């Protein structure tokens, strides 16, 4: 191509030579050759420069495009730009053009808090909302009549005067779904979505919660114990082996595994169970919230584990109760009974309860404002007219406080050193200016594990994580909004308690007994 271009460029010069025909041939040829050589050098130099410039520009542009994609610092920032930020569109200026680079922001996954994330949608189960309102007045009487309608030959196994029971196998108490599936295929109301439950729950706690919430009810009995109100006990389908039956009593109240059904107004039992486990006290019985079609119009009822060891001499004798007056209780606190496993003197007036148990009880009762144990007469706060202590005239006994009897101080028959917190009726509607500080009177030490939870500012997080497991209770309290209001009350009381600890010089020690 260069050859043809050379002849094409030299042709006009050949035409010019016609004007030089008169010149000698040697001079004329020399002039033409000189002009052509100069022009040829010019063309060669121009073409070579253009080709070199084109190659350099191609390499430079390629480098500019790849530099922004591969030459990034470890933190995602371009080395030539100090104000570039990851997750946004930015511009890299160049000499001849502008290159736009967009880095997609990596979406962060939410924190996987155990017991708070649903991995998938749960199948809804349509519940039969038909409820017999007659159970509010006479629960087991209605059950008997209902069972008689289904099974005419039904007869109570025992006399109703002693104990009344109904065989639930003939009642179809477990609701069915809209597809005709039985309750055995229902999703558990105890929501544990991670590999294990929160660390403050033992495997026995989880088993007890699942039994109370999901076990098929076989039989319900109403039994009386001592002078206390009668108990409504249900027997579940899950049974324990004869070698491990620790729930059987001499009068055969429960042949297998059972639970006690409480009134819907006693929902504090469920909250108290979770608070007890979060604080590391481990003194309450497992409790969940459950609905029964034939009780209280289908409202959620607290269901507590049945523990026959609380009745060492049978139901006729009632609880294994420690009987103390307020004066005896204060004296035992000063003597530090059973501290360091030292047996007290026979005339010391000490009970069988270890000294540290009173500290755990006082802290627990103060947070929930449970006064039916240490302050049954409501002497430490201003009671309302509708409170039981006022209606029964117990508040008038506050004039002689040393002779007031403590109540509901219970231990297991085989373990007289440790308390069991039962009948945990707390009050969330009591303001900070009317708290019962009598519950803390005489207490000089408090458990370190529980106080550390209050000081760590993680009480709300742990309670939310714990209470979320019980779906029925969570929904009955209004979901997250209602649960937050309850925790607000406990957090404010925890601040008051911490201030009280600092002001009175209360020691915070380890209590592993």
């Amino acid at each position: 191509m260069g050859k043809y271009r050379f002849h094409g460029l030299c042709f006009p010069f050949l035409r010019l030579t016609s004007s030089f025909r008169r010149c000698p041939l040697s001079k004329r040829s020399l002039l033409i050759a000189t002009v052509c050589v100069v022009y040829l050098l010019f063309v060669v130099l121009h073409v070579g420069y253009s080709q070199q410039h084109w190659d350099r520009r191609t390499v430079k542009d390629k480098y500019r495009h790849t530099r922004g994609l591969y030459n990034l610092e470890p933190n995602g920032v371009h080395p030539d730009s100090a104000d570039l930020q990851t997750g946004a569109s930015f511009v890299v200026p160049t000499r001849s053009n502008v290159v736009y680079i967009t880095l997609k922001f990596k979406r962060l996954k939410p924190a996987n808090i155990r017991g708070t994330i649903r991995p998938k949608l749960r199948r809804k189960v349509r519940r039969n909302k038909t409820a017999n309102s007659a159970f509010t007045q006479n629960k087991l009487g209605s059950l008997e009549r209902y069972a008689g309608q289904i099974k005419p030959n039904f007869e109570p196994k025992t006399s109703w005067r002693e104990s009344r029971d109904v065989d639930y196998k003939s009642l179809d108490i477990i609701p069915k779904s809209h597809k005709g599936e039985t309750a055995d295929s229902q999703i558990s109301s105890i929501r544990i979505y991670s590999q294990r439950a929160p660390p403050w729950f033992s495997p026995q706690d989880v088993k007890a919660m699942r039994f109370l919430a999901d076990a098929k009810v076989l039989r319900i009995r109403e039994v009386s114990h001592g002078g206390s109100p009668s108990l409504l006990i249900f027997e579940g389908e899950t049974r324990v082996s004869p070698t491990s039956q620790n729930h059987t009593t001499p009068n055969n109240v429960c042949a297998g595994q059972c639970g006690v059904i409480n009134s819907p107004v006693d929902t504090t039992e469920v909250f108290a169970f979770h608070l007890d486990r979060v604080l590391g006290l481990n003194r309450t019985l497992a409790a969940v919230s459950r609905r029964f079609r034939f009780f209280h119009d289908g409202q959620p009822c607290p269901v507590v584990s049945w523990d026959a060891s609380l009745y060492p001499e049978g139901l006729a004798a009632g609880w294994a109760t420690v009987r103390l007056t307020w004066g005896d209780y204060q004296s035992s606190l000063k003597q530090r009974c059973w501290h360091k496993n030292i047996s007290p003197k026979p005339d010391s007036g000490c009970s069988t309860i270890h000294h540290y148990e009173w500290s755990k009880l006082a802290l627990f009762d103060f947070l929930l404002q449970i006064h039916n144990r240490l302050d049954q007469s409501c002497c430490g706060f201003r009671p309302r007219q509708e409170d039981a202590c006022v209606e029964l005239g117990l508040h008038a006994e506050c004039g002689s406080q040393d002779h007031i009897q403590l109540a509901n101080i219970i231990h297991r028959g085989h373990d007289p050193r440790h308390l069991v917190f039962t009948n945990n009726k707390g009050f969330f509607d009591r303001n900070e200016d009317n708290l019962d500080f009598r519950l803390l009177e005489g207490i000089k030490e408090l458990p370190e594990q529980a106080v550390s939870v209050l000081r760590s500012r993680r009480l709300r997080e742990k309670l939310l994580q714990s209470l979320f497991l019980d779906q029925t209770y969570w929904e009955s309290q209004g979901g997250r909004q209602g649960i937050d209001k309850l925790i607000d009350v406990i957090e404010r009381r925890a601040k008051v308690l911490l201030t009280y600890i600092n002001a009175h010089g209360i020691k915070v020690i380890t209590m592993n007994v």
Side-chain angles (χ1 to χ4, degrees):
M1 179 178 179
K3 180 178 180 181
Y4 294 105
R5 182 181 294 179
F6 172 76
H7 288 290
L9 294 174
C10 292
F11 183 76
F13 293 96
L14 294 176
R15 296 180 60 181
L16 292 176
T17 56
S18 60
S19 59
F20 298 99
R21 289 179 180 178
R22 295 187 180 94
C23 298
L25 180 60
S26 59
K27 293 182 179 180
R28 184 175 59 186
S29 300
L30 180 61
L31 180 60
I32 293 174
T34 302
V35 173
C36 290
V37 169
V38 172
Y39 189 77
L40 178 62
L41 293 175
F42 174 78
V43 171
V44 171
L45 293 175
H46 179 73
V47 172
Y49 177 78
S50 299
Q51 184 67 26
Q52 183 179 5
H53 179 71
W54 175 261
D55 295 340
R56 184 183 301 174
R57 183 177 179 182
T58 303
V59 174
K60 191 174 182 179
D61 290 344
K62 182 178 180 181
Y63 173 74
R64 287 173 180 171
H65 283 80
T66 59
R67 179 180 60 178
L69 295 177
Y70 302 104
N71 297 349
L72 293 176
E73 295 295 333
N75 58 356
V77 180
H78 197 282
D80 297 334
S81 178
D83 57 348
L84 301 181
Q85 299 180 357
T86 305
S89 299
F90 53 85
V91 179
V92 179
T94 61
R95 293 182 181 179
S96 60
N97 61 352
V98 178
V99 180
Y100 294 91
I101 303 176
T102 302
L103 298 180
K104 293 183 179 181
F105 181 74
K106 185 177 181 181
R107 184 177 180 182
L108 298 178
K109 296 182 179 180
N112 186 11
I113 302 177
R114 185 183 297 108
T116 60
I117 304 300
R118 290 173 181 250
K120 59 183 179 180
L121 294 178
R122 299 171 57 154
R123 182 176 55 189
K124 294 184 178 180
V125 179
R126 182 181 300 173
R127 297 180 181 273
N128 188 356
K129 297 183 179 180
T130 304
N132 191 344
S133 60
F135 285 101
T136 305
Q137 301 296 331
N138 191 351
K139 298 181 287 295
L140 290 176
S142 300
L143 283 175
E144 182 185 13
R145 292 191 298 270
Y146 189 84
Q149 295 175 4
I150 298 177
K151 192 175 182 180
N153 296 328
F154 174 84
E155 294 181 359
K157 297 180 180 180
T158 59
S159 174
W160 287 102
R161 294 180 181 180
E162 298 177 0
S163 64
R164 296 184 287 177
D165 61 347
V166 172
D167 189 356
Y168 257 46
K169 294 180 180 179
S170 62
L171 295 181
D172 189 25
I173 187 174
I174 304 300
K176 294 183 178 181
S177 65
H178 61 284
K179 294 183 180 181
E181 298 176 353
T182 60
D184 297 336
S185 63
Q186 293 187 51
I187 299 176
S188 174
S189 61
I190 302 301
R191 304 180 288 190
I192 302 178
Y193 297 141
S194 58
Q195 295 181 355
R196 61 186 182 90
W200 46 85
F201 287 121
S202 66
Q204 292 75 17
D205 290 334
V206 177
K207 291 181 181 179
M209 293 169 64
R210 291 196 182 278
F211 167 78
L212 295 174
D214 307 323
K216 183 177 180 180
V217 178
L218 301 180
R219 185 178 61 168
I220 286 185
R221 302 186 67 182
E222 185 180 25
V223 297
S224 59
H225 59 101
S228 302
S230 60
L231 297 177
L232 198 61
I233 300 175
F234 80 89
E235 180 181 343
E237 187 176 31
T238 304
R239 294 180 180 272
V240 294
S241 59
T243 58
S244 60
Q245 284 186 3
N246 56 356
H247 298 280
T248 305
T249 56
N251 52 359
N252 295 324
V253 174
C254 179
Q257 192 171 358
C258 299
V260 180
I261 305 174
N262 293 344
S263 173
V265 298
D266 298 331
T267 56
T268 317
E269 286 283 357
V270 181
F271 191 97
F273 164 65
H274 289 271
L275 178 63
D276 169 74
R277 295 304 192 265
V278 167
L279 295 178
L281 302 177
N282 299 321
R283 291 296 179 265
T284 64
L285 302 174
V288 302
S289 188
R290 177 169 179 169
R291 297 179 185 273
F292 295 92
R293 288 175 53 195
F294 300 99
F295 290 119
H296 308 291
D297 297 333
Q299 300 180 39
C301 301
V303 182
V304 184
S305 294
W306 164 259
D307 191 346
S309 63
L310 300 177
Y311 307 88
E313 299 178 0
L315 292 178
W319 304 95
T321 305
V322 177
R323 302 190 180 279
L324 287 174
T325 63
W326 177 260
D328 297 335
Y329 165 63
Q330 291 297 317
S331 176
S332 66
L333 292 178
K334 294 178 181 179
Q335 298 184 52
R336 301 170 61 87
C337 300
W338 302 102
H339 181 59
K340 297 182 179 180
N341 294 326
I342 300 177
S343 301
K345 298 179 180 180
D347 57 347
S348 63
C350 288
S351 65
T352 61
I353 305 300
H354 193 278
H355 174 68
Y356 286 160
E357 294 297 294
W358 302 114
S359 299
K360 298 177 181 179
L361 178 65
L363 182 144
F364 182 75
D365 283 2
F366 181 82
L367 292 177
L368 291 174
Q369 286 296 291
I370 301 174
H371 66 271
N372 62 359
R373 281 189 273 258
L374 300 177
D375 191 15
Q376 189 179 18
S377 300
C378 306
C379 300
F381 65 100
R382 301 184 302 273
R384 299 171 298 182
Q385 294 297 324
E386 57 269 21
D387 289 339
C389 58
V390 176
E391 293 181 351
L392 299 177
L394 300 177
H395 188 62
E397 300 176 357
C398 293
S400 56
Q401 299 185 12
D402 289 343
H403 301 287
I404 296 178
Q405 290 284 338
L406 304 186
N408 197 26
I409 307 299
I410 300 171
H411 63 82
R412 292 181 172 88
H414 63 277
D415 187 12
R417 298 287 181 268
H418 300 96
L419 292 173
V420 179
F421 302 164
T422 62
N423 298 330
N424 301 306
K425 186 176 182 180
F427 295 87
F428 289 91
D429 57 348
R430 193 171 297 166
N431 298 328
E432 284 71 26
D433 59 348
N434 192 29
L435 297 179
D436 191 355
F437 284 94
R438 181 180 172 87
L439 303 175
L440 301 174
E441 188 172 339
I443 300 296
K444 302 300 180 183
E445 304 97 0
L446 287 176
E448 179 184 12
Q449 183 176 359
V451 175
S452 63
V453 175
L454 302 180
R455 288 176 174 172
S456 66
R457 299 182 180 179
R458 296 188 60 191
L459 178 63
R460 177 181 297 274
E461 173 189 344
K462 292 185 176 183
L463 282 176
L464 286 173
Q465 187 177 345
S466 185
L467 292 168
F468 184 82
L469 269 61
D470 193 335
Q471 181 180 4
T472 303
Y473 179 79
W474 181 277
E475 295 175 353
S476 67
Q477 300 301 314
R480 172 66 182 270
Q481 185 177 3
I483 297 295
D484 273 331
K485 292 181 180 180
L486 299 179
I487 300 178
D488 288 341
V489 176
I490 302 300
E491 281 190 334
R492 290 195 297 266
R493 293 175 182 175
K495 293 180 181 179
V496 174
L497 178 60
L498 294 177
T499 304
Y500 182 90
I501 293 174
N502 296 330
H504 291 77
I506 296 179
K507 297 179 181 180
V508 179
I509 60 177
T510 303
M511 298 182 180
N512 295 327
V513 179

